[in-house]
Amino acid sequence: MHSRPIEDWQPAHSFGQTVRRPVEGRVHAVIALTVVTMVAEVVTGWLTGSMALLADGLHMGTHAFALGLAALAYALTRARALDRRYSFGSGKISELAGFASALLLGVSALVIAGEAVARLFDPRPIAYGDAILVAVIGLVVNLVSAALLGLTHHHGHEHGHAHGHDHDHHDHTHDEDRGHGLDTNARAALLHVLADALTSLAAIAAIGIAWATGWLWADPLAAMLAAAVILKWSADLGRQSAGVLLDRQAPEAMRHEITRALEADGDTQVVDLHLWSVGHQAWTLVASVVTHGDTGPDDYRARLPERADLHHPIIEVNRCRGGGPGHPA
């Protein structure tokens, strides 16, 4: 009888992070569009002496940085996917990038709000023509970027998570499997684009009112309202990504599904279950069961639902020699 080499017993260190997802290409396209617009605005602003165009071009640079962070996270996630130094894979790199983007969004919202408050108490003349031009350019670029990232369907999912309900999180996590969802990293990129589009839209409306009526306070007031919305988006995104980074338990629906599968024989009781996300489309579990039968860990693993996003499940089996798993001897 030949013994199996130890390598045959070692599971592949894969948590589904080696595959390049289509959304990455869209993020790269948005980065290219943002950089081209940034360069065009900076050069035009410099040549024409338009401070509004120059300032918006530099502002575009902050969004290019945030989008570049998303692209870097995707690249690092794949590069480290099989690195065993990362115990549960590299999926949380994207979550970390998403959390960083949430912080950047929050800071940008606070900066906008601070400047708006200052302008509210100290109104300044507005170069209406230049300001409208910049706002329209920003709106068009960001709407195109949002479309590239899949605004029509994905933005609805983003706001479906606004209240942080676990069941919503569960539904969204598996949407990418069906081609309808964005991971946290891509949602962060989308929110940066939407935040800029919102400020551009608010600016167009406010500048139009100020131009027509002379009410200079309309511009900072619109900026304050936009900042409040962006701050809310930032908080939602931060809460979602932090939940994964801190190993928050999986949604109840998923936990019940796993528990029912393990207890399917009517002779097993799950006494401890840890089920958590280790990245987009990647879950793992550690469960402890009690049974008075001879069912082994491999048998329990075979009972688990067939789902490609469940990796490296660990089942601890405790033998009960009493009247049943609910009444140990």
Side-chain angles (χ1 to χ4, degrees):
M1 178 178 180
H2 297 286
S3 61
R4 294 171 61 187
I6 191 66
E7 290 79 8
D8 289 353
W9 296 97
Q10 294 176 335
H13 188 76
S14 174
F15 291 83
Q17 307 299 338
T18 58
V19 178
R20 180 187 173 93
R21 291 190 292 275
V23 69
E24 293 184 50
R26 300 198 295 272
V27 168
H28 291 158
V30 171
I31 292 174
L33 177 61
T34 302
V35 170
V36 168
T37 305
M38 176 188 72
V39 172
E41 286 191 344
V42 168
V43 171
T44 304
W46 180 266
L47 294 177
T48 62
S50 171
M51 286 304 299
L53 272 175
L54 185 61
D56 194 64
L58 296 175
H59 173 68
M60 279 279 186
T62 64
H63 289 284
F65 174 79
L67 293 166
L69 186 64
L72 179 62
Y74 283 128
L76 287 176
T77 296
R78 287 199 311 277
R80 297 288 185 266
L82 302 179
D83 190 336
R84 290 185 176 272
R85 292 176 298 176
Y86 298 87
S87 298
F88 292 101
S90 59
K92 290 187 179 181
I93 292 177
S94 286
E95 300 296 330
L96 186 60
F99 187 78
S101 284
L103 294 179
L104 288 174
L105 269 179
V107 169
S108 68
L110 293 176
V111 169
I112 292 171
E115 180 65 20
V117 170
R119 292 290 183 93
L120 195 60
F121 290 99
D122 182 24
R124 301 177 189 177
I126 300 173
Y128 295 111
D130 281 353
I132 285 285
L133 175 62
V134 168
V136 170
I137 291 174
L139 181 61
V140 171
V141 169
N142 285 291
L143 288 179
V144 172
S145 298
L148 286 172
L149 287 172
L151 171 64
T152 303
H153 187 92
H154 306 317
H155 186 45
H157 280 285
E158 171 59 39
H159 286 281
H161 296 285
H163 302 292
H165 294 311
D166 281 346
H167 184 66
D168 288 343
H169 176 71
H170 170 63
D171 289 343
H172 184 81
T173 300
H174 302 290
D175 281 341
E176 182 79 356
D177 289 327
R178 300 187 295 271
H180 296 310
L182 291 176
D183 57 48
T184 302
N185 199 34
R187 290 204 305 275
L190 176 59
L191 278 183
H192 275 281
V193 167
L194 290 177
D196 212 24
L198 179 64
T199 55
S200 296
L201 187 61
I204 291 172
I207 293 169
I209 292 174
W211 201 349
T213 64
W215 296 344
L216 295 180
W217 51 262
D219 185 46
L221 182 61
M224 290 172 66
L225 293 175
V229 174
I230 295 169
L231 196 60
K232 176 65 166 60
W233 290 350
S234 168
D236 292 341
L237 179 63
R239 182 169 56 250
Q240 293 155 21
S241 53
V244 177
L245 292 172
L246 295 174
D247 297 329
R248 183 178 58 199
Q249 284 275 32
E252 279 300 313
M254 188 176 180
R255 290 168 56 79
H256 286 321
E257 178 187 20
I258 298 295
T259 300
R260 283 196 302 268
L262 293 175
E263 295 180 345
D265 60 4
D267 183 49
T268 298
Q269 182 174 335
V270 175
V271 294
D272 194 22
L273 177 65
H274 300 277
L275 178 63
W276 70 100
S277 172
V278 292
H280 182 62
Q281 294 182 312
W283 301 83
T284 192
L285 74 87
V286 176
S288 179
V289 303
V290 176
T291 179
H292 69 269
D294 295 323
T295 308
D298 286 342
D299 299 312
Y300 283 111
R301 277 191 286 270
R303 292 182 186 180
L304 293 172
E306 293 185 6
R307 40 191 313 153
D309 57 356
L310 187 58
H311 303 271
H312 294 202
I314 298 174
I315 313 292
E316 177 189 61
V317 180
N318 300 282
R319 304 296 175 191
C320 175
R321 302 305 178 186
H327 304 280

